[in-house]
Amino acid sequence: MGAAVAGVLGFLLLAAAGGSAGDEAREAAAVRALLARLLGLRGHAAAHAPARRYRYYQNVCTHSYSFVWWDWARWEKELDWMALNGINLALAWSGQEAIWQQVYLALGLTQSEIDEYFTGPAFLAWGRMGNLHTWGGPLPPSWHLKQLYLQHRILDRMRSFGMTPVLPAFAGHVPKAITRVFPQVNVTQLGSWGHFNCSYSCSFLLAPEDPLFPIIGSLFLRELTKEFGTDHIYGADTFNEMQPPSSEPSYLASATASVYQAMVTVDPDAVWLLQGWLFQHQPQFWGPAQVSAVLGAVPRGRLLVLDLFAESQPVYIRTASFQGQPFIWCMLHNFGGNHGLFGALEAVNRGPAAARLFPNSTMVGTGMAPEGIGQNEVVYALMAELGWRKDPVADLEAWVTGFAARRYGVSHGNTEAAWRLLLRSVYNCSGEACSGHNRSPLVRRPSLKMTTTVWYNRSDVFEAWRLLLTTTPSLATSPTFRYDLLDVTRQAAQELVSLYYGEARTAYLNKELVPLLRAAGILVYELLPSLDKVLASDSRFLLGSWLEQARAAAVSEAEAHFYEQNSRYQLTLWGPEGNILDYSNKQLAGLVADYYTPRWRLFMEMLVESLVRGVPFQQHQFDQNAFQLEQTFVLSTQRYPSQPHGDTVDLAKKLFLRYYPRLVAGSL
């Protein structure tokens, strides 16, 4: 270092003595070299409270809800989007199962034990966090090859863009078969997760003091970095939505330290990226002593915490800025990749600046951590912009007006007015009840106890819908406008489902057969088919496109069928018994027609039958019958169109003309 400085000083003295142009060029080169050295040293110092401002993207779950079936062409588009939005830190988690397979084989597990352990592609996120094993598996050999290829291409592109890829590390979860190979091994079986029984959950956690812990941890990281190189930041989540076996601070500190120790054994510059979700997901377990145990077990600056749901439930506030560990203020926003207009734009706008001004703040960047993408673009546009801003946007109304003009390439009074209405309604969620998880009756298994209350005025959505439709003569050729028109039409239909459900429920409870038949008839035979039709006009809202992506990842017909079933399960039952039913709901043409509609039809038929026969409605019986329908859909091999059909504008207008006058007249 001293020599480098002396060299530069020498050149500077030369220049001062009136050196030649060649000297000046050498001087410039030497200054650049010194800067590079200093930046390189700062890169190492990244280990000690990163100095750069991070703009992070992704959530472990995004890899299953959105990226799972992607090929390189689709990844390339995403990486371009990331670059255009200034993302400089992101997960690169593809292909890790191929490395784990090598490690497990080296440890003495059989191929069949490994096959039994891995989940299917659509559920890998939860296998990686120790929540699940086995479910939806096994992974075919071709899967590993494809994912290794993809990971290399993703890493090359990320690095060429100057992004820092975050690689996975060992978090402590092991296959049960480890106990066959090492009978003396000290493991604890964790509790079940997500209503799954122990055939698929209750994973085994290696005791931190077991001699195998550092061996497995360093073996995996060595193999991984040998294959992919490294940028020194690694992600691992030991207790994500999993209750630790003990709340003793000494145990939690030891479990945390052993994960970190295995990292630095292989890479002395390792920094651990930790999703801070666990602290807010189980606040009753994670008291001050437990949080301190985890945060204090890693040298300060070597843990980089994602405050994952900071727009709604920030953890930095109740942990004194993660007790001095650097953190990234993240907007989670979306759960399960659900459709549905939603945002807490005011909280998002104010949040990062407030975190920066927090006493002794250790915030080192902002992030977007949605579980699923492909929805509510306006929310991500704002969050991406906030990554560059010191202060919040002063006037969100003006900002959203500008957003509309940029989005459609032209200023138009009515589209801008529509966006301002959306801003004050669907995008204005506030308070802890805000969650980007669509619980609309449309996408839920029906019952008489469904909630239809929303945080906004539905009339604002209907008025925004009307305003967008008035601009179709001048904007119908804009692809972004057509997409938004469809999305707002979809939202309006979702609101109408809630209203007609309300009518039907009231009629049933009042024992009024005619109004029940009328509301049920409109909902099942008019509204839902109209929604399905309008969704079918855009390739981004097709079940066919969704399933085609899964099939295209396969190398044989048997594999294509297997992948498609994985995908169908994730969209609907999630587990074999509807364990996390409709968590990942989507509004897709085909899914509305053949999954949501039959379920609604059955519900209405059973309500009518109950009224006619004068016997109480049996929810339990309905649930059993509905499960049969749901399972039939999952196991079906029916193919769906992957090409759009019909004109979005025309179909949206038809739906509007049928229902809007009724809304205005107050007579559904």
Side-chain angles (χ1 to χ4, degrees):
M1 180 69 189
V5 173
V8 170
L9 287 174
F11 279 122
L12 291 175
L13 290 170
L14 257 179
S20 69
D23 291 332
E24 283 176 25
R26 281 208 302 282
E27 176 203 327
V31 171
R32 276 203 301 276
L34 176 63
L35 277 173
R37 275 296 301 279
L38 290 172
L39 287 171
L41 288 171
R42 182 180 291 177
H44 290 297
H48 303 280
R52 67 190 292 193
R53 185 168 178 184
Y54 288 113
R55 287 177 295 277
Y56 170 79
Y57 171 54
Q58 294 180 25
N59 180 310
V60 174
C61 301
T62 330
H63 286 256
S64 288
Y65 284 132
S66 297
F67 309 160
V68 52
W69 310 114
W70 285 4
D71 57 7
W72 169 242
R74 179 61 187 86
W75 262 111
E76 196 169 28
K77 282 185 178 160
E78 196 70 10
L79 293 162
D80 285 348
W81 177 88
M82 287 159 63
L84 289 165
N85 284 284
I87 302 300
N88 57 15
L89 182 69
L91 304 181
W93 279 34
S94 304
Q96 59 178 289
E97 284 70 28
I99 306 296
W100 273 119
Q101 182 165 275
Q102 291 169 26
V103 169
Y104 293 146
L105 288 169
L107 288 168
L109 274 73
T110 66
Q111 187 62 52
S112 66
E113 286 172 329
I114 296 167
D115 288 343
E116 197 206 334
Y117 179 63
F118 289 139
T119 67
F123 303 97
L124 281 172
W126 301 277
R128 291 165 178 175
M129 295 186 285
N131 308 123
L132 287 179
H133 54 83
T134 314
W135 169 240
L139 293 173
S142 61
W143 174 265
H144 295 304
L145 288 171
K146 278 196 160 188
Q147 294 302 309
L148 283 172
Y149 163 78
L150 269 180
Q151 174 77 342
H152 277 291
R153 297 212 65 172
I154 290 164
L155 287 170
D156 287 351
R157 184 61 53 87
M158 281 177 78
R159 288 168 178 153
S160 75
F161 280 152
M163 295 173 189
T164 301
V166 178
L167 294 175
F170 177 55
H173 312 111
V174 290
K176 184 183 181 184
I178 283 282
T179 60
R180 176 191 64 76
V181 186
F182 303 98
Q184 302 301 307
V185 73
N186 183 357
V187 292
T188 306
Q189 192 166 16
L190 298 173
S192 67
W193 176 87
H195 310 289
F196 279 84
N197 64 28
C198 291
S199 317
Y200 300 116
S201 69
C202 316
S203 60
F204 286 84
L205 187 64
L206 195 50
E209 68 279 4
D210 193 285
L212 259 186
F213 200 110
I215 292 171
I216 295 177
S218 51
L219 190 56
F220 172 69
L221 208 57
R222 203 165 279 125
E223 288 300 313
L224 186 83
T225 53
K226 197 166 81 184
E227 180 72 34
F228 299 129
T230 186
D231 296 77
H232 312 293
I233 302 190
Y234 306 95
D237 298 286
T238 307
F239 300 120
N240 181 74
E241 298 188 1
M242 304 292 283
Q243 179 110 341
S246 161
S247 61
E248 273 301 313
S250 57
Y251 167 77
L252 295 168
S254 165
T256 306
S258 48
V259 171
Y260 173 68
Q261 216 41 59
M263 288 181 197
V264 285
T265 300
V266 176
D267 180 353
D269 294 328
V271 173
W272 177 0
L273 184 82
L274 175 74
Q275 293 195 121
W277 178 253
L278 72 167
F279 301 131
Q280 76 84 35
H281 182 259
Q282 289 184 305
Q284 69 292 346
F285 177 89
W286 292 99
Q290 287 71 28
V291 173
S292 290
V294 168
L295 297 175
V298 177
R300 192 168 283 189
R302 291 292 191 111
L303 192 64
L304 180 52
V305 187
L306 299 174
D307 202 346
L308 212 67
F309 196 18
E311 81 273 28
S312 178
Q313 292 164 32
V315 175
Y316 76 87
I317 294 173
R318 59 182 179 85
T319 54
S321 196
F322 292 99
Q323 300 183 3
Q325 294 285 17
F327 78 93
I328 294 176
W329 189 101
C330 293
M331 172 191 81
L332 198 156
H333 179 257
N334 179 274
F335 291 89
N338 299 167
H339 291 122
L341 301 184
F342 166 81
L345 288 193
E346 194 52 55
V348 167
N349 187 32
R350 304 261 158 232
R356 224 171 270 128
L357 296 171
F358 189 73
N360 303 318
S361 176
T362 49
M363 173 177 163
V364 292
T366 52
M368 300 185 252
E371 286 192 349
I373 62 170
Q375 36 70 30
N376 295 291
E377 225 171 298
V378 64
V379 178
Y380 298 89
L382 176 66
M383 191 62 230
E385 187 175 315
L386 290 169
W388 300 94
R389 283 175 164 273
K390 188 164 161 285
D391 299 311
V393 169
D395 179 350
L396 276 180
E397 276 213 349
W399 183 88
V400 87
T401 304
F403 171 81
R406 284 197 310 279
R407 192 158 167 79
Y408 309 138
V410 58
S411 291
H412 195 296
N414 280 7
T415 53
E416 289 162 9
W419 273 100
R420 285 194 294 272
L421 281 170
L422 294 173
L423 173 67
R424 83 171 193 200
S425 57
V426 288
Y427 291 121
N428 189 32
C429 201
S430 61
E432 291 223 343
C434 282
S435 154
H437 203 174
N438 194 345
R439 293 189 165 82
S440 155
L442 165 62
V443 293
R444 295 281 160 167
R445 186 191 277 173
S447 81
L448 287 169
K449 295 192 167 77
M450 299 172 97
T451 172
T452 57
T453 52
V454 287
W455 65 91
Y456 50 90
N457 236 331
R458 284 196 170 95
S459 57
D460 283 346
V461 173
F462 296 131
E463 179 59 8
W465 187 25
R466 186 189 71 77
L467 286 166
L468 286 180
L469 274 164
T470 62
T471 62
T472 51
S474 48
L475 288 175
T477 54
S478 157
T480 41
F481 172 79
R482 295 175 78 88
Y483 177 87
D484 290 346
L485 176 64
L486 192 151
D487 206 15
V488 173
T489 302
R490 179 206 52 68
Q491 186 71 24
Q494 177 181 300
E495 309 294 358
L496 285 162
V497 168
S498 294
L499 297 175
Y500 279 109
Y501 160 70
E503 298 269 304
R505 179 173 61 184
T506 303
Y508 172 79
L509 295 173
N510 292 341
K511 299 188 165 52
E512 295 172 332
L513 184 60
V514 174
L516 171 60
L517 287 167
R518 187 180 165 280
I522 292 172
L523 178 60
V524 173
Y525 296 104
E526 284 183 20
L527 181 55
L528 291 176
S530 296
L531 171 61
D532 197 78
K533 243 188 187 147
V534 97
L535 292 169
S537 69
D538 188 307
S539 58
R540 285 155 297 200
F541 288 94
L542 298 179
L543 176 63
S545 305
W546 200 260
L547 299 181
E548 206 40 60
Q549 259 192 349
R551 296 182 66 86
V555 296
S556 68
E557 184 48 46
E559 220 174 83
H561 174 63
F562 166 62
Y563 287 169
E564 177 178 336
Q565 200 172 92
N566 246 251
S567 196
R568 283 177 182 248
Y569 261 114
Q570 193 204 75
L571 287 169
T572 56
L573 290 171
W574 220 103
E577 279 117 30
N579 309 55
I580 316 180
L581 182 66
D582 297 315
Y583 180 95
S584 175
N585 63 72
K586 309 275 183 294
Q587 291 171 42
L588 303 170
L591 195 61
V592 171
D594 291 347
Y595 179 74
Y596 299 128
T597 303
R599 204 159 64 170
W600 272 108
R601 187 183 305 125
L602 175 69
F603 178 69
M604 293 304 188
E605 282 168 359
M606 285 182 70
L607 282 186
V608 169
E609 189 189 358
S610 145
L611 210 52
V612 170
R613 291 179 47 211
V615 295
F617 171 71
Q618 299 291 332
Q619 182 69 42
H620 178 65
Q621 187 57 54
F622 168 73
D623 288 344
Q624 283 184 332
N625 298 356
F627 179 67
Q628 295 304 316
L629 288 176
E630 292 154 356
Q631 213 168 26
T632 301
F633 171 80
V634 168
L635 302 176
S636 161
T637 53
Q638 183 184 331
R639 301 297 289 270
Y640 289 89
S642 53
Q643 291 303 313
H645 175 76
D647 177 65
T648 299
V649 173
D650 185 43
L651 291 162
K653 253 182 204 154
K654 279 188 178 137
L655 213 146
F656 177 85
L657 290 171
R658 173 172 279 178
Y659 294 99
Y660 189 81
R662 300 180 194 178
L663 286 162
V664 174
S667 60
L668 288 175

